[in-house]
């Protein structure tokens, strides 16, 4: 049985078998107490091995990190801290762990150290909790959209289009880099490449998802995306996962409603199904923050923060309103912001987003109608010809967690924006054709999955919420 199931068998004394990895062993030559974990839960089961039943050589092999199989009786625990324990009749060491070399001895390890041991860090309480929650959130995403009648669309990982217009993309090629084919004017001949043209790893599945929505009604993508941005911050990865729904006949209001409902659903799912993991991470966050200066500590604990999102309607305001609030705020007037706000057109930074959420409104915030100059070409132009029907959702500690918009469905307006922003219309001919053949208003958003996991787990570095982080100069494991 899984240890999670065994621990729920309270009061039922029975023969039982368990397998897992040893967290700790303590005791004397008369009796050993083994804490066993199999990854199904944050909690360990205690194995009691009485000395006269087992030879000393076997017990010596049961060290932290070793993998064992146990047969025995499930009995009511005589000690405190657990309701039941297993009185062992038979123990088999399936895989010994060299006690001197095993790096995860039962003591506190830094997150930086554990990133270097990413092949083993799943065995720690912190990371087993994080990755159970990552699974729960993955399942919640699919369940939410499935229950609402969305269709999951697998958009291409290899693409010739740059959805964001940022240009920071990983090139995909099988050309011989030692002997590159050239055209008559000396440029690289991509017609000789595998796909017959220049291709990259995708930065977003949005453009292709729009094509699906304009036939299937409502679709969503959930897949890996890639940015070749040379950034080593705690908020950036080179490979990460994106969730991108697209909905036909939807406007910006519908889009905001969907996004708010979606975030609340995912958070509630984790609270309902992963209470033990969240309680552990809540305590962990509290312990970590005791060592910080008062001004660096979070105003809310992890569980409190999750409830904060569930219990509040998100505040909705326009970019113009947000700029006015920020320009007149104390931090701006006293020059406490690193990036001072002086008027319309400023790109909001994390410090501004967090001020609005944590200080001004004390609720999650949705900002709409951004200046066209700081947003992508595909966002629907407002009547003022200055702003677009964009929206960003801001959360405490994280800042922006979702970005989306009503898409520009009018062909002439879309072409004008592409020309204005120097986006290649020939490359995106297929995207433009959807505006020629049965266009309609539609909207969608993108959620960086790791950002959501950071919020739900309380982790401060994005490298700690993905199993094997890919960052500049690092593709280990």
């Amino acid at each position: 049985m899984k240890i999670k199931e065994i621990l729920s068998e309270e009061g039922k004394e029975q023969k039982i078998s368990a397998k897992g990895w040893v967290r700790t062993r303590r005791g004397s030559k008369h009796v050993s107490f083994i804490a066993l974990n199999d990854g199904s839960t944050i909690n360990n089961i205690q194995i009691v091995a009485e000395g006269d039943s087992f030879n000393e050589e076997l017990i010596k092999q049961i060290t932290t990190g070793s993998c064992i199989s146990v047969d025995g009786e499930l009995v009511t625990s005589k000690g405190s801290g657990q309701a039941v324990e297993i009185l062992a009749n038979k123990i088999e060491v399936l895989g010994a762990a060299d006690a001197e070399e095993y790096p995860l001895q039962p003591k506190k390890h830094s997150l930086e150290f554990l990133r270097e041991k990413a092949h083993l860090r799943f065995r720690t309480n912190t990371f087993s909790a994080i990755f159970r929650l990552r699974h729960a959130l993955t399942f919640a995403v699919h369940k939410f959209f499935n229950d609402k009648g969305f269709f999951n669309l697998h958009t291409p990982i290899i693409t010739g289009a740059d959805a964001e217009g940022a240009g920071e993309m990983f090139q995909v090629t099988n050309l011989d880099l030692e002997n590159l084919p050239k055209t008559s004017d000396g440029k690289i001949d991509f017609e000789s490449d595998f796909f017959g043209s220049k291709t990259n790893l995708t930065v977003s599945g949005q453009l292709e998802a729009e094509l699906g929505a304009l036939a299937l009604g409502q679709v969503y993508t959930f897949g890996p995306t890639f940015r070749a941005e040379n950034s080593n911050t705690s908020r950036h990865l080179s490979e990460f996962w994106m969730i991108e729904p697209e909905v036909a006949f939807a406007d910006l209001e519908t889009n905001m409603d969907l996004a708010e409902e979606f975030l609340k659903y995912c958070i509630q799912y984790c609270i309902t199904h992963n209470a033990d993991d969240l309680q552990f991470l809540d305590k962990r966050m509290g312990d970590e923050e005791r060592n910080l200066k008062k001004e660096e500590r979070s105003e809310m604990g992890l569980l409190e923060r999750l409830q904060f999102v569930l219990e509040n309607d998100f505040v909705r305001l326009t970019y113009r309103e947000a700029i006015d609030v920020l320009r007149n705020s104390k931090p701006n007037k006293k020059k406490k912001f690193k990036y001072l706000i002086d008027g319309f057109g400023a790109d909001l930074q994390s410090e501004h987003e967090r001020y609005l959420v944590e200080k001004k409104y004390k609720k999650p915030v949705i900002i709409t109608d951004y200046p066209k100059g700081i947003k992508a070409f595909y966002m629907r132009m407002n009547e003022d010809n200055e702003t677009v029907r964009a929206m960003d959702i801001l959360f405490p500690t994280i800042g922006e967690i979702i970005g989306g918009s009503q898409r520009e469905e009018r062909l002439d307006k879309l072409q004008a924006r592409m020309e204005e922003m120097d986006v290649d219309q020939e490359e995106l001919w297929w995207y433009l054709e959807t505006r020629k053949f049965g266009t309609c208003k539609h909207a969608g958003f993108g959620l960086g999955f790791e950002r959501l996991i950071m919020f739900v787990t309380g982790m401060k570095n994005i490298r700690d919420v993905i199993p094997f982080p890919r960052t500049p100069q690092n593709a280990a494991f």
Side-chain angles (χ1 to χ4, degrees), residues 230-264:
N230 191 13
S231 179
N232 267 305
T233 77
S234 60
R235 295 159 61 87
H236 289 91
L237 289 167
S238 304
E239 174 186 302
F240 54 99
W241 287 67
M242 285 285 286
I243 297 144
E244 297 172 294
E246 291 291 329
V247 186
F249 318 114
D251 59 14
L252 192 65
E253 293 297 323
T254 312
N255 205 27
M256 289 191 283
D257 292 343
L258 179 71
E260 182 170 342
E261 184 187 356
F262 169 62
L263 288 167
K264 288 181 173 180

Side-chain angles (χ1 to χ4, degrees), residues 30 96 109 167 258 270 277 307-308 337 416 420 424-425 430 441:
H30 302 296
H109 298 285
L258 179 71
C270 290
D277 291 323
Q307 286 299 331
F308 165 87
F337 283 144
E420 198 179 311
D424 190 338
Q425 294 185 41
W430 44 271
K441 71 178 179 183

